[in-house]
Amino acid sequence: MNAQVQDAPKALILVVDDEELVRRIACQGLQRLGYDVIDAHDGDSALRLLETDSRRVDLLFADVRMPGRLSGPALADIALRQRPGMKVLLTSGHARTEDFVSVGSSYPVLPKPYRRAELAEAVASALSRP
């Protein structure tokens, strides 16, 4: 049974954040937790990646506020039309979760800064959502 667990595919997470250092730290944290990671610096780059990369992306982990035409919630709305089975977890250093619920976003939000344990819990919870 252990061999089956070890051979199970890792979840693939797409990390989207316009701040390079923040994106790099998130990617490293997720890799240390055992996830495979790909990343993009903005919403448009993330959408292009989803269009060209045939791998199954299990989770979109995106910053709420990014420059350009797509915020994290807008990116998630479009990405889910392309990849209906994908899960979404947003992150923000600028606002509380309640702020996004009040404007209609139903995506979970992990407040920045976060610790590795908080990241692990939020990702596991997002991946297990129906």
Side-chain angles (χ1 to χ4, degrees):
M1 185 158 154
N2 265 347
Q4 290 175 328
V5 172
Q6 291 173 349
D7 293 338
K10 297 178 189 176
L12 177 60
I13 300 175
L14 170 55
V15 176
V16 187
D17 199 302
D18 59 295
E19 294 183 40
E20 183 179 348
L21 180 60
V22 172
R23 187 173 66 248
R24 190 173 342 132
I25 290 169
C27 289
Q28 289 171 350
L30 290 165
Q31 288 168 330
R32 287 184 183 128
L33 291 169
Y35 297 105
D36 289 328
V37 178
I38 53 177
D39 67 294
H41 67 278
D42 65 13
D44 287 320
S45 297
L47 289 177
R48 281 192 298 276
L49 198 150
L50 289 172
E51 290 170 1
T52 59
D53 193 322
S54 63
R55 291 178 290 177
R56 174 192 165 111
V57 176
D58 298 291
L59 179 69
L60 171 65
F61 183 51
D63 193 13
V64 169
R65 293 185 183 179
M66 295 183 285
R69 69 180 184 96
L70 293 174
S71 66
L75 167 62
D77 291 343
I78 295 168
L80 286 174
R81 288 195 293 270
Q82 291 181 354
R83 305 275 182 111
M86 187 172 54
K87 309 296 185 190
V88 174
L89 175 61
L90 300 177
T91 186
S92 178
H94 301 287
R96 301 181 320 265
T97 303
E98 298 83 31
D99 296 333
F100 298 102
V101 172
S102 68
V103 297
S105 175
S106 60
Y107 305 116
V109 178
L110 175 63
K112 293 178 189 175
Y114 47 80
R115 293 190 162 97
R116 188 182 311 173
E118 295 165 327
L119 176 64
E121 183 179 328
V123 168
S125 176
L127 286 169
S128 66
R129 289 181 76 181

